[in-house]
Amino acid sequence: MDCIHIHGGKPLEGEAAVQGSKNGALVLVTATVLIKGQTVLHNCPQITDMDEMFGLLKALGCQVKREASTVIIDASSLHTSDCPAKQVRAMRSSVMLLGPLLGRCGSVSMERPGGCMIGKRPVDIHETALTCMGVRFQKDEKRIRAETEGLKGAEICLPFPSVGATENVLMAAVLAEGTTTLYNAAQEPEITQLCHFLNEAGAKITGIGTNCLMVRGVGKLHPVTFTVMPDRIVAGTYLLAGAATRGIVTVKNAPVRQLTSLLDVLRKMGAMVRYEENAIVLDAVRAGKPVPYLRTAVYPGFPTDLQSMLTAVLTRAEGSSAIEETIFEDRFKIVRELQKMGADLKVENNRKLRIYGVSKLYPARLTACELRGGAALVIAALMAEGESEIRGCDYIRRGYEDICRDLRLLGADVEEKRE
Ligand code: EPZ
């Protein structure tokens, strides 16, 4: 069991670069199942969720080769659509294989991905949408079994712009017979990237970047070489670490246009933001103002994945803040850990949190229980004068290549020790 040791209490000063996008890369890897031949992905983050996904694809018969941040996937030899339980249990994003496996094989079987620490995370929207395309699901508490005689284009309106459901419909539609129109589609940057990837492979998707996507089915897709976009949540993590410590940080190859909602909040808190060639420079020396009310929302609103990290920063604001979490129903898990450090927080219900700023946080032994909450505890430890320890680093490693390396580049006194 590894443990992150942080000696906090000083402003960060330095610069770090942003890795490739976890959520962007994961869905592209699932999309390679649709392509018979060698697809090359550059700038793939070296994180455990990617390793789990590679293990899943290999179990299906694909060949996967990684050379640092370049991954070569050849799905020609895929020979089954029965997904192994080990990887499906480890990673909810395996549900994004529904669309590609139905498109490639006409069937899919996997253990029903269970809930996780941030919510139940059902897949009803995925199932309803795919059913419109001629997919038959066998109802079973334990497993998802689905098959189709042939995917048909359809008019589909999602009841909620689910990222994963949008991705599954897109990947099912590209080889379907006829045209699919998807209304109320998610507009996260990961969706736009997926559309560009699929079109480069020969798909015919229009409406990219809007909430109405149209896909004209084609006979086949061909191999492509593609570069994964930078990770907007990792970039936001490092900006929030700078804000938490009232420091001055430079985040290189940050996807600036994808971070507007966060940068607006940081400016309201008193930070100054400027742009250099392919980098964001944040001067947070005076970023102490509270945020009276903020709600998380689908893109381009404030991302739910940064909510816990902003909560950590606001524990030391000069006044009280309130956050409404509208995307997941159980994403205030870090409150108890922050209270151990002297933070003054009140969970009003599972969607609303009040944060009363205190003058200081105290170091503590903390335990992460999910990915983004773990990153938030790292940020809180950077704020507390003295030595904090954070267990549960495996959760953090799911989404961050090396958070300790990057924070040291930003000037933090942090190291990972084997317990
Ligand atoms: C993706 O999850 C991301 N994961 C999440 O990032 C991110 O928080 C989320 O989108 C929202 O932006 C990946 O891309 C691998 P949703 P996804 O379907 O697709 C409910 C991280 O830390 N819902 O948009 O699962 C669901 O329960 C992760 O990197 C249904 O009710 O998100 C949730 O409350 C965490 N039925 C809401 O919609 C469904 O069929 C948003 O889910 C599907 C979703």
Side-chain angles (χ1 to χ4, degrees):
M1 161 80 128
D2 292 349
C3 180
I4 294 178
H5 290 250
I6 292 179
H7 201 93
K10 61 177 187 145
L12 292 190
E13 192 139 355
E15 61 177 53
V18 177
Q19 68 187 54
S21 165
K22 165 178 94 77
N23 295 344
L26 282 171
V27 67
L28 295 188
V29 171
T30 62
T32 64
V33 156
L34 292 161
I35 300 170
K36 291 179 185 161
Q38 275 201 358
T39 297
V40 180
L41 297 177
H42 294 303
N43 199 34
C44 266
Q46 300 178 60
I47 54 177
T48 52
D49 265 15
M50 295 300 293
D51 299 336
E52 290 291 354
M53 187 60 85
F54 297 152
L56 216 167
L57 257 61
K58 285 178 186 166
L60 300 176
C62 302
Q63 284 159 35
V64 181
K65 206 166 75 184
R66 178 193 267 286
E67 290 153 13
S69 64
T70 292
V71 175
I72 301 156
I73 299 172
D74 186 340
S76 320
S77 44
L78 181 137
H79 55 68
T80 175
S81 61
D82 189 351
C83 298
K86 176 180 171 293
Q87 280 86 0
V88 171
R89 272 191 213 123
M91 198 182 41
R92 284 192 45 76
S93 38
S94 33
V95 75
M96 281 151 18
L97 276 167
L98 290 179
L101 286 173
L102 285 162
R104 172 72 185 270
C105 314
S107 68
V108 57
S109 166
M110 64 170 70
E111 207 169 78
R112 192 168 282 278
C116 61
M117 296 309 277
I118 60 176
K120 289 191 293 297
R121 303 186 77 178
V123 291
D124 54 320
I125 300 174
H126 299 243
E127 291 180 7
T128 310
L130 292 170
T131 304
C132 301
M133 300 178 72
V135 177
R136 277 194 319 284
F137 283 86
Q138 285 169 22
K139 283 284 165 216
D140 176 333
E141 283 311 303
K142 286 237 171 310
R143 287 190 78 74
I144 297 177
R145 282 192 183 79
E147 57 189 19
T148 177
E149 260 78 63
L151 289 163
K152 301 264 182 299
E155 295 231 333
I156 302 167
C157 182
L158 298 181
F160 172 85
S162 153
V163 172
T166 301
E167 292 167 340
N168 263 326
V169 170
L170 280 169
M171 293 189 282
V174 287
L175 298 180
E177 188 195 321
T179 298
T180 298
T181 306
L182 180 60
Y183 299 100
N184 199 24
Q187 300 179 75
E188 272 68 7
E190 292 76 23
I191 304 286
T192 299
Q193 178 189 246
L194 173 63
C195 292
H196 289 310
F197 171 84
L198 291 169
N199 278 358
E200 282 190 27
K204 297 206 179 316
I205 304 171
T206 53
I208 298 176
T210 75
N211 66 356
C212 177
L213 298 170
M214 189 177 283
V215 187
R216 273 197 10 246
V218 295
K220 62 180 269 194
L221 297 181
H222 55 73
V224 286
T225 294
F226 196 86
T227 298
V228 176
M229 66 186 180
D231 192 311
R232 60 192 172 103
I233 304 302
V234 171
T237 304
Y238 298 158
L239 290 167
L240 284 161
T245 58
R246 312 275 167 89
I248 301 176
V249 295
T250 300
V251 179
K252 293 186 292 188
N253 64 34
V256 178
R257 277 193 305 281
Q258 298 174 10
L259 290 161
T260 0
S261 57
L262 170 65
L263 295 171
D264 288 350
V265 168
L266 291 172
R267 283 192 194 92
K268 283 189 189 125
M269 292 172 63
M272 291 190 292
V273 178
R274 67 184 167 81
Y275 305 112
E276 275 175 8
E277 162 72 17
N278 201 20
I280 296 174
V281 182
L282 179 85
D283 176 342
V285 174
R286 287 181 190 72
K289 294 195 186 79
V291 175
Y293 173 73
L294 175 123
R295 68 197 298 270
T296 62
V298 296
Y299 192 84
F302 190 89
T304 173
D305 291 350
L306 291 177
Q307 178 262 108
S308 299
M309 297 174 228
L310 178 65
T311 297
V313 176
L314 291 172
T315 60
R316 223 181 37 178
E318 292 137 20
S320 66
S321 307
I323 290 183
E324 188 175 0
E325 169 57 62
T326 69
I327 306 295
F328 288 104
E329 71 272 22
D330 202 359
R331 210 162 198 181
F332 293 143
K333 279 267 177 325
I334 59 161
V335 165
R336 287 169 58 85
E337 294 299 294
L338 295 175
Q339 286 167 336
K340 279 160 68 176
M341 303 177 81
D344 184 358
L345 303 147
K346 185 168 177 297
V347 178
E348 290 200 346
N349 54 51
N350 68 342
R351 297 283 185 176
K352 189 126 185 228
L353 176 65
R354 283 208 179 279
I355 307 155
Y356 304 97
V358 293
S359 55
K360 64 187 296 186
L361 291 185
Y362 299 91
R365 294 166 71 97
L366 304 164
T367 305
C369 63
E370 43 95 8
L371 164 57
R372 305 300 175 188
L377 295 180
V378 169
I379 288 176
L382 291 168
M383 298 161 73
E385 241 170 271
E387 180 92 6
S388 294
E389 295 174 8
I390 300 163
R391 281 170 177 69
C393 313
D394 287 353
Y395 289 109
I396 301 173
R397 225 174 271 117
R398 288 188 49 192
Y400 295 82
E401 277 187 342
D402 190 340
I403 198 167
C404 294
R405 169 200 67 195
D406 294 342
L407 289 174
R408 277 197 294 274
L409 288 169
L410 292 173
D413 180 351
V414 54
E415 62 174 321
E416 202 163 336
K417 290 180 185 162
R418 199 161 281 289
E419 289 288 279

